């Protein structure tokens, strides 16, 4: 029974991370900024270390605040370099490697004697989630579940409040600016959401799963629909399916849970890539054959 409840918490954590990151990731994909999630997830390391120094605690709330600030700064630096004439992919590469390196140096200089090691931050192990419980308002759940569900709820709320603006900015920034929408504010609001989702999920599942879930469920959903609402819904469904399937695969083959969840997401994307009604490779081949026969 004990191991069963552990498994359930792991599935719930993975599903929450996948749903939350997939949901926010849709906007990154629409804005052709998919790799920004990867950049932010690595660049926030100095923010986590600085937050630890200032608060002298590994409390997740301080980490979240420190990392969110650095996440938004990362987006700002990338935007500044890009505006100054550096290609966007090069700007992302320069900023995230530099900030990540600063974080690694800070960890090895000042934080080597505490629990804040690079290995832990980047490859966080989802299997340990059920061991770290926290009680809030009389309800006991793993700390990671509290953290990620809180950020997910906030993401849903903010996207709900600014849905029209986010939609317009994602599809046509020029038109949004002409319509009087504060494009820059919406951009950094989205960056803050990405940073918060990244960091909330970091410690429990590690950066690899977070980066995958920011991109893959949304990319798969994008192949299946042209409507934003449907894309957001599908990305959440794909994220949850990837997490559940990944856990089953991990238990069956006795492999890394995060790795299996990420692999499942990749397989789901491949299925969409091959069989999507409009964009699918197989669907296109069949359509061409049908047209040949018709002529």
């Amino acid at each position: 029974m004990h191991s069963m409840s552990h498994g359930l918490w792991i599935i719930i954590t993975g599903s929450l991370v996948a749903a939350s990151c997939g949901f926010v990731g849709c906007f990154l994909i629409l804005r052709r900024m998919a790799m920004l999630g990867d950049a932010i997830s690595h660049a926030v390391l100095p923010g986590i270390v600085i937050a630890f120094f200032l608060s002298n605690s590994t409390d997740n709330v301080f980490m979240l605040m420190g990392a969110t600030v650095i996440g938004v700064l990362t987006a700002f630096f990338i935007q500044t370099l890009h505006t100054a004439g550096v290609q966007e992919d090069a700007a992302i590469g320069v900023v995230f490697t530099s900030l990540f390196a600063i974080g690694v140096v800070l960890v090895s200089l000042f934080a080597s004697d505490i629990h804040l090691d690079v290995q832990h931050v980047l490859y966080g192990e989802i299997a340990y989630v059920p061991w770290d419980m926290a009680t809030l308002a009389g309800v006991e759940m793993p700390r990671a579940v509290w953290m990620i569900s809180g950020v997910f709820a906030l993401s849903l709320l903010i996207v709900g409040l600014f849905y029209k603006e986010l939609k317009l900015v994602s599809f046509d920034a020029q038109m949004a600016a002409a319509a009087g929408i504060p494009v820059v504010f919406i951009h950094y609001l989205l960056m803050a959401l990405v940073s918060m989702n990244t960091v909330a999920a970091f410690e429990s599942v590690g950066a690899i799963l977070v980066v995958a879930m920011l991109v893959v469920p949304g990319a798969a959903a994008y192949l299946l629909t042209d409507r934003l609402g449907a894309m957001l819904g599908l990305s959440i469904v794909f994220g949850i399916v990837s997490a559940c399937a990944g856990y089953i695969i991990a238990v069956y083959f006795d492999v890394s849970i995060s790795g299996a969840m990420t692999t499942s997401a990749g397989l789901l994307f491949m299925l969409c890539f091959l069989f999507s009604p409009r964009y699918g490779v197989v669907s296109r081949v069949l359509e061409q054959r049908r047209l040949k026969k018709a002529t």
Side-chain angles (χ1 to χ4, degrees):
M1 180 65 201
H2 197 56
S3 63
M4 189 177 155
S5 68
H6 270 201
L8 190 63
W9 281 127
I10 290 168
I11 290 172
I12 289 170
T13 308
S15 298
L16 275 169
V17 168
S20 192
C21 290
F23 179 73
V24 174
C26 285
F27 293 104
L28 288 180
I29 287 160
L30 289 174
R31 303 184 67 181
R32 295 195 167 90
M33 299 167 84
M35 287 320 293
L36 201 63
D38 190 12
I40 287 177
S41 67
H42 284 73
V44 292
L45 186 60
I48 293 172
V49 183
I50 293 162
F52 169 76
F53 288 138
L54 295 179
S55 64
N56 209 10
S57 125
T58 52
D59 186 354
N60 289 352
V61 178
F62 292 113
M63 301 277 183
L64 191 64
M65 283 155 59
T68 304
V69 170
I70 294 285
V72 174
L73 271 177
T74 303
F76 173 73
F77 291 146
I78 290 168
Q79 195 63 39
T80 307
L81 286 175
H82 183 47
T83 312
V86 180
Q87 280 179 301
E88 189 158 31
D89 54 349
I92 288 175
V94 169
V95 172
F96 108 74
T97 46
S98 306
L99 282 170
F100 182 57
I102 291 168
V104 172
V105 170
L106 286 173
V107 168
S108 50
L109 269 179
F110 306 112
S112 53
D113 54 337
I114 53 149
H115 169 60
L116 199 72
D117 61 280
V118 181
Q119 183 77 10
H120 180 75
V121 170
L122 277 188
Y123 310 106
E125 183 46 76
I126 196 170
Y128 299 146
V129 163
W131 302 109
D132 188 11
M133 302 296 277
T135 308
L136 216 77
V139 181
E140 192 186 32
M141 291 200 300
R143 197 180 297 274
V145 173
W146 282 117
M147 186 88 162
I148 297 157
S149 50
V151 170
F152 188 24
L154 186 65
S155 302
L156 289 170
L157 177 71
I158 289 174
V159 170
L161 288 173
F162 294 98
Y163 184 74
K164 192 180 80 207
E165 290 83 349
L166 278 162
K167 187 175 178 177
L168 250 179
V169 170
S170 298
F171 284 107
D172 192 339
Q174 269 91 14
M175 189 179 134
I181 289 169
V183 175
V184 176
F185 168 72
I186 294 293
H187 173 71
Y188 288 114
L189 185 70
L190 181 62
M191 293 307 109
L193 277 184
V194 171
S195 307
M196 284 167 68
N197 274 286
T198 306
V199 181
F202 235 14
E203 200 185 5
S204 49
V205 302
I208 293 154
L209 185 62
V210 176
V211 173
M213 292 307 177
L214 272 171
V215 179
V216 184
Y222 182 76
L223 292 173
L224 296 184
T225 178
D226 292 332
R227 283 177 42 241
L228 179 60
M231 182 180 171
L232 291 170
L234 275 172
S235 71
I236 292 175
V237 172
F238 285 159
I240 293 170
V241 170
S242 303
C244 297
Y247 182 73
I248 294 164
I249 292 167
V251 170
Y252 186 76
F253 291 108
D254 192 22
V255 291
S256 154
I257 299 171
S258 294
M261 286 178 175
T262 306
T263 306
S264 300
L267 290 171
L268 251 176
F269 174 79
M270 277 307 297
L271 286 173
C272 294
F273 179 68
L274 292 172
F275 300 108
S276 145
R278 188 181 297 183
Y279 304 108
V281 176
V282 175
S283 314
R284 279 182 182 175
V285 171
L286 292 174
E287 178 66 13
Q288 280 167 351
R289 279 193 180 169
R290 196 180 62 77
L291 288 171
K292 265 187 185 170
K293 274 186 183 169
T295 53

